[in-house]
Amino acid sequence: MDSHLREQFQNLRVSISPSKAGNCIYQLFVQNTGNFPLSEISIHYGPLLHPGYFGLDATHMPRDIWVKPAIFIASLLPSQTIIMDVEGSDAHERYDGPEVTRVAIDMQLHTENGQEMGYFLAPVNVTLLNARKNNYYY
């Protein structure tokens, strides 16, 4: 992968924090730390707030209860941060997942030959009180 494509991936920062909108609502922060706009970003955040990270057994849960649709961001300008509320599986204080994890992202990449869609796993910082401090990626 050339350095320009790698830079596009590395300039996207994602984090999760509690929201004041409700005890099962979380703030998802998406930031472009680079100097070029990013576009057509789909963030598959559902696994970040999966029932298993709250001590819940999802084995017999209907898939539509805990599988969340991807969040789509049309454009993210340099230094821009978008903050949105997303639904989690349980209360903030019940979260028992990792403090640092990854999230799947589809994003339009600007290549030498034009544009193409790329898929990658972006690091995510989870700033919740009981997040596990082991700091390893899934």
Side-chain angles (χ1 to χ4, degrees):
M1 177 185 299
D2 74 29
S3 63
H4 180 66
L5 293 178
R6 187 175 294 112
E7 182 181 344
Q8 289 177 66
F9 290 148
Q10 293 173 345
N11 290 337
L12 190 66
R13 300 279 188 260
V14 180
S15 63
I16 294 269
S17 297
S19 172
K20 294 180 180 175
N23 205 24
C24 294
I25 306 297
Y26 296 81
Q27 285 191 326
L28 180 71
F29 295 80
V30 183
Q31 180 182 30
N32 178 356
T33 62
N35 298 318
F36 300 98
L38 302 174
S39 58
E40 296 188 29
I41 305 163
S42 291
I43 302 172
H44 305 275
Y45 82 93
L48 296 174
L49 299 170
H50 184 277
Y53 288 146
F54 296 89
L56 302 171
D57 182 2
T59 306
H60 301 291
M61 285 184 179
R63 183 173 165 82
D64 61 344
I65 287 178
W66 60 268
V67 175
K68 309 294 184 203
I71 291 171
F72 181 76
I73 299 171
S75 177
L76 193 60
L77 300 174
S79 302
Q80 182 180 9
T81 300
I82 293 177
I83 303 169
M84 61 199 81
D85 284 340
V86 296
E87 184 180 6
S89 297
D90 207 339
H92 305 153
E93 63 274 2
R94 293 203 42 153
Y95 179 83
D96 184 29
E99 181 180 53
V100 176
T101 187
R102 291 187 180 193
V103 65
I105 295 183
D106 297 304
M107 183 172 73
Q108 186 177 81
L109 301 174
H110 301 278
T111 66
E112 291 178 5
N113 300 325
Q115 299 174 346
E116 61 184 63
M117 291 304 290
Y119 172 85
F120 67 106
L121 296 174
V124 177
N125 292 318
V126 180
T127 54
L128 296 169
L129 182 63
N130 295 318
R132 284 184 266 127
K133 309 289 187 215
N134 50 359
N135 292 337
Y136 60 89
Y137 293 127
Y138 281 99

